[in-house]
Amino acid sequence: MIRILQITIVCIFSTAVLSVDTKNSFADNKDLTVGFSQIGAESGWRTAETKSIRSEAKKRGVNLKFSDAQQKQENQIKALGAFIAQNVDAIILAPVVETGWEPILKKAHRRGIPVILVDRGVKVTNDDLYTTLIASDFVAEGRMAGDWLAAKTGGKANIVELQGTPGAAPAIDRKKGFEQAIAKHPGMKITKSQTGEFTRAKGKEVMEAFLKSGGEIDAVYAHNDDMALGAIQAIEEAGKKPGVDILVVSIDGVKPAFESMVEGKLNCTVECNPLLGPAAFDAVEQAVAGKKLPKNTIVQDKLFDQSTAKDVIDSRQY
Amino acid sequence: MPESLRKLTWPLAALAVLLLFNALLNPEFFSLHFAEGRLTGSLVDVLDRATPVLLLSLGMTLVIATAGVDLSVGAVMAMAGSISAVLLTDVGMPVLPTLLITLLASLAAGAWNGLLVSMLGIQPIVATLILMVAGRGIAQLLTDGQIIPIEGHPGFAYLGGGTLFFLPVTITIALAAALFTAIAVRYTALGLFIESAGENPTASRYAGLNVRAVRLLVYTLSGLFAGVAGLIYASDITAADANNAGLYLELDAILAVVIGGTALSGGRFFLAGSIIGALIIQTLGTTILMTQIGGQSIPAEWNLIVKAIVVLVVCLLQSAALRQILTGKGVRG
C-alpha cells in the first residue's frame, strides 16, 4: 500500500515537472479533447499501454476521455458513438477484433474526426476510414520467435503452438509469421496447435492435454507470455524441465516473462512495446493540424533471451 | 425406473459416447500411470479441471430449482482469487485465515444475491447480473487489473495442485462438496423445500414454508461454492487473474445443470445429473484439445461449434417431445 502511494506521489511530481517543461510547446493542446477506447485490462501489457496513453495525455494537457470495453466490441462501438456525439477532436482506438468497424468509423469519418488505431488493425473496405495505425508488426514478431527457435534447435523440432483468441489480429499474424520462419526448415513442424485464449489458466490446461496426447514435444510456441507461463507450470507438473527438456518461446515481454527467463524456464520472448502514448499523441496532433500521416507507423520490436534478460529486467516498466 | 435414474440415462449416454470417441481416436486419453506420488493421465485431468464448473453447478442446481439463476458465480470466483491474493501478498496474512476470510466474503456475496432476490423481490437474473458486473470490477480494483502472483505459499498452492489419496486434491474437494450438498438436500427436508419453493412459491408459503429463507440459503450456498472454485482457480495458476478467472463459467455451470436434466423453470432437480453435465463439458474440452485429425489439431475456430453441436445433441436426446415425434406416438397436449 505504502509502495503504491510512493509511486503515485512520484508520478504526480514527475508529471508536474514535465508539464512545466512542456507547457509552452503544447499550450494549444489545452483545448484538445481525445477519446480513447481501450479493450480492457486483461494483461499487464494492456495496462502498461493504458498508462502510457493516460500519462502522455496528462503531460500534453490533453483532455482524455477513457473508456474500458471489458473485451467487448459492442462496448467499444458504443464508446465511439459517445465520443462522436461529444464531438471530440480525435479518437484513439485499440480494436478488440478486426472486423465490424465499418459503420461506426464511417460515422466518425463523416464528422471529420480522425481515428488513430493503436496496436491492432481493422479490416475496412476503405482505408480512409482511419487516419493511421500505430502498431507492432505481429507477423515480424512471430518470425523473430521462429527464427530464434530455428537457430537454437538447428532447424529440427517438434513444436506445439498455443494460439491466442481465435480471430484476434495478434493470434492470426503471430501464427503466420512463425509458420513463415519455420517453413525454411523442413525439420521443424507444428505438431499440435490449439487456443489458450491468451490466459495463464487456459495455456496450462492446453499444454497439460498436449503433454498427454502422445508424440515428442521439443518446444512450445505461445502467442503471449501469460500462456507460456501457464504452459511452464504444466511442463513442471509433468516432471519435465521447462527451458531445458522443452524449450519455451513467446511474445509480449511482460515483466513476469523476464523473471521466468532469469530462472531459466522461459527461453525467449519477443518484446511487443506497449508504450504507444507518445507516438499516438504525435499522430493526434498532426492529424488535428491537418497534416497527412502515413497509413502505418510500425513500432520496432526486440527479442530478449536468457542471456540478455538479467541485464534489462530492472528497467522493465511493465 | 425412478425419475432421478431415468433422467440420468441420456447424460450418461452422452458421456459414454464421448469416451467411446476417445477410445477410438485418442487411445492416449485412457492411459494412466503413476508419477511423483500420484496417478496421472487425461482422465484424472478431466476430473481435476472439471472441479470449478462442478462446484458452481452444485450451487446453480439448487438456485435453478427455486426457479432462479445465479449469473454472478464467475465474478465471485474472480473476487475470491483477488481477495486471497491481496491478503496473502499485500497484507501478509497466513494461509488459513486468508482462506477463511475469502470464503466468508464469498458467502456474503452469495447472501447479497439472496437478499436482493428473496427480500427485495428483484428478478434473479437482474439481481445476480449486478454482482456479475460489479464483482469482477471489485476483483479488478483489488488487483489493479494486474495478474498478482501468489508465490511462496505452499498451503495455498496445495488447494489446486496438491495430491490427496494419490489424486489431485481438487477431486476430493469436489467429492466432499457434492456429498455435503446431497446429504443436506436428500437426508433432510431441505431438498423438498427447495423443490416446493421453485414449483409453486405461493402454495409453499401458504403451506407454512419460509420461501424467503430457502431462497436466501441457496444463493448463499452458491456464493460459497463459487468462492471455493475461485480459490482452486487461483491456486492452480498460483496467481490471481481478475480478468479471466471464472469468465463465462456461469454459463458452463448453467449448461451443466440443464444437461443434467434440471429444468430452468424450477422444481425437481438432479444433483447427480449436474455433476455428469460438468464432466461432459470438461471431457468435451479435453477431447477437443487431444484430438488429431490427419496429424493436425482441430482448428481453434471450431472449438465452440463442436461444443455447441454436442450440447444440442444432448438436449435433443432429453427432449421428451422429440422422442415422441420420432417414435410416432404423437405429442401430448
Side-chain angles (χ1 to χ4, degrees):
Chain A
M1 214 46 221
I2 293 168
R3 207 166 50 101
I4 296 171
L5 209 66
Q6 282 172 341
I7 294 169
T8 324
I9 292 169
V10 170
C11 285
I12 293 168
F13 271 102
S14 50
T15 11
V17 171
L18 287 169
S19 57
V20 171
D21 267 356
T22 52
K23 210 171 224 161
N24 295 328
S25 51
F26 297 111
D28 39 340
N29 280 340
K30 280 276 177 257
D31 311 320
L32 267 190
T33 301
V34 175
F36 171 36
S37 169
Q38 176 59 291
I39 294 174
E42 76 276 14
S43 60
W45 190 94
R46 196 151 296 285
T47 314
E49 182 188 54
T50 306
K51 272 188 195 150
S52 165
I53 288 178
R54 279 194 151 158
S55 67
E56 191 68 21
K58 213 174 195 178
K59 195 158 113 187
R60 300 192 186 202
V62 173
N63 176 19
L64 188 74
K65 291 185 184 298
F66 176 74
S67 161
D68 181 326
Q70 307 218 324
Q71 327 291 324
K72 290 198 188 75
Q73 185 180 27
E74 67 217 63
N75 290 347
Q76 291 204 292
I77 291 174
K78 264 184 229 155
L80 256 56
F83 292 153
I84 295 168
Q86 292 162 9
N87 212 2
V88 296
D89 297 293
I91 291 170
I92 300 173
L93 168 67
V96 63
V97 291
E98 288 187 329
T99 51
W101 299 101
E102 194 107 16
I104 192 74
L105 289 183
K106 269 189 183 144
K107 217 166 158 185
H109 189 64
R110 272 201 302 274
R111 292 283 200 91
I113 299 173
V115 176
I116 318 288
L117 302 176
V118 287
D119 78 69
R120 296 182 184 185
V122 295
K123 274 196 186 121
V124 282
T125 47
N126 177 4
D127 273 354
D128 288 342
L129 290 182
Y130 63 89
T131 312
T132 185
L133 162 66
I134 301 168
S136 299
D137 181 348
F138 297 136
V139 179
E141 287 170 0
R143 220 163 23 224
M144 283 163 88
D147 286 339
W148 186 90
L149 192 62
K152 179 82 178 175
T153 59
K156 274 180 96 150
N158 291 312
I159 306 153
V160 297
E161 182 184 35
L162 304 177
Q163 303 173 33
T165 313
I172 296 168
D173 290 349
R174 286 172 182 174
K175 184 172 173 57
K176 200 200 289 174
F178 188 82
E179 282 168 354
Q180 285 172 3
I182 64 166
K184 292 175 267 177
H185 307 276
M188 296 180 86
K189 54 179 186 294
I190 297 175
T191 52
K192 301 176 207 309
S193 175
Q194 252 292 349
T195 176
E197 292 166 16
F198 285 134
T199 69
R200 273 196 203 202
K202 266 282 168 191
K204 184 176 180 186
E205 182 182 343
V206 175
M207 191 64 203
E208 200 175 79
F210 282 173
L211 283 164
K212 296 201 172 83
S213 64
E216 278 292 301
I217 299 175
D218 305 314
V220 186
Y221 166 51
H223 289 185
N224 81 343
D225 289 335
D226 283 332
M227 290 192 292
L229 294 170
I232 283 171
Q233 287 190 335
I235 295 169
E236 284 178 328
E237 281 173 20
K240 292 191 169 140
K241 282 188 80 155
V244 182
D245 298 335
I246 296 177
L247 301 174
V248 187
V249 298
S250 70
I251 298 175
D252 265 2
V254 297
K255 195 152 188 178
F258 279 85
E259 285 159 4
S260 184
M261 281 196 284
V262 171
E263 287 167 12
K265 294 174 180 173
L266 183 71
N267 293 89
C268 85
T269 184
V270 180
E271 177 197 46
C272 178
N273 193 345
L275 307 177
L276 302 180
F281 283 100
D282 283 348
V284 165
E285 281 167 12
Q286 286 175 25
V288 171
K291 283 185 199 141
K292 193 101 182 93
L293 284 156
K295 265 283 88 93
N296 279 306
T297 313
I298 291 175
V299 183
Q300 279 306 320
D301 295 322
K302 223 173 134 185
L303 187 139
F304 294 92
D305 61 13
Q306 291 177 351
S307 60
T308 46
K310 249 186 218 105
D311 308 327
V312 293
I313 188 163
D314 290 328
S315 65
R316 305 303 295 175
Q317 290 185 41
Y318 55 94
Chain B
M1 210 178 351
E3 192 190 4
S4 50
L5 273 180
R6 206 177 55 227
K7 278 278 184 185
L8 287 185
T9 317
W10 293 112
L12 276 174
L15 189 58
V17 169
L18 272 176
L19 293 175
L20 189 70
F21 177 87
N22 277 303
L24 295 174
L25 262 103
N26 311 317
E28 307 85 11
F29 192 89
F30 296 94
S31 91
L32 287 171
H33 59 271
F34 220 74
E36 300 188 13
R38 69 148 96 173
L39 205 59
T40 63
S42 293
L43 285 173
V44 179
D45 284 349
V46 167
L47 293 175
D48 179 26
R49 295 266 159 233
T51 304
V53 171
L54 199 153
L55 286 168
L56 299 185
S57 71
L58 289 174
M60 193 70 81
T61 308
L62 303 186
V63 169
I64 287 179
T66 65
V69 71
D70 187 352
L71 296 181
S72 71
V73 288
V76 173
M77 277 179 71
M79 268 171 70
S82 299
I83 292 171
S84 52
V86 168
L87 290 179
L88 285 170
T89 58
D90 286 2
V91 181
M93 195 180 270
V95 174
L96 272 179
T98 299
L99 296 183
L100 202 68
I101 292 178
T102 306
L103 291 179
L104 280 176
S106 315
L107 204 76
W112 161 260
N113 284 329
L115 281 176
L116 290 185
V117 173
S118 67
M119 302 301 168
L120 302 181
I122 300 175
Q123 289 273 334
I125 201 165
V126 178
T128 56
L129 190 65
I130 297 169
L131 193 59
M132 176 186 173
V133 178
R136 192 163 297 279
I138 293 169
Q140 287 167 340
L141 210 62
L142 283 172
T143 57
D144 235 355
Q146 302 287 314
I147 298 174
I148 309 287
I150 308 173
E151 271 148 17
H153 298 281
F156 188 79
Y158 179 78
L159 212 53
T163 303
L164 188 65
F165 309 131
F166 308 112
L167 286 168
V169 67
T170 48
I171 297 176
T172 308
I173 296 175
L175 215 58
L179 273 177
F180 166 77
T181 315
I183 290 170
V185 297
R186 294 303 182 206
Y187 287 86
T188 70
L190 183 62
L192 197 63
F193 290 169
I194 292 172
E195 290 182 342
S196 163
E199 195 73 55
N200 193 334
T202 317
S204 306
R205 197 157 48 82
Y206 284 136
L209 177 64
N210 190 342
V211 175
R212 285 184 170 179
V214 170
R215 287 201 178 131
L216 183 62
L217 182 75
V218 291
Y219 285 94
T220 308
L221 206 59
S222 179
L224 176 67
F225 284 152
V228 178
L231 286 171
I232 288 174
Y233 185 101
S235 165
D236 176 38
I237 56 170
T238 55
D241 186 347
N243 303 302
N244 299 304
L247 195 64
Y248 305 131
L249 283 198
E250 59 278 347
L251 299 180
D252 274 358
I254 295 170
L255 197 62
V257 174
V258 173
I259 289 177
T262 303
L264 285 175
S265 48
R268 293 284 283 149
F269 66 89
F270 307 93
L271 271 182
S274 302
I275 292 169
I276 293 167
L279 292 179
I280 289 176
I281 292 171
Q282 188 54 47
T283 307
L284 182 60
T286 306
T287 304
I288 289 173
L289 294 179
M290 296 194 66
T291 302
Q292 299 262 345
I293 296 170
Q296 296 271 311
S297 301
I298 293 178
E301 294 78 8
W302 280 86
N303 290 7
L304 295 175
I305 299 185
V306 173
K307 188 171 169 183
I309 292 171
V310 172
V311 170
L312 180 69
V313 170
V314 177
C315 290
L316 287 180
L317 282 174
Q318 289 189 45
S319 157
L322 183 78
R323 270 207 303 280
Q324 277 168 336
I325 292 170
L326 291 180
T327 51
K329 285 181 188 160
V331 189
R332 276 175 299 165

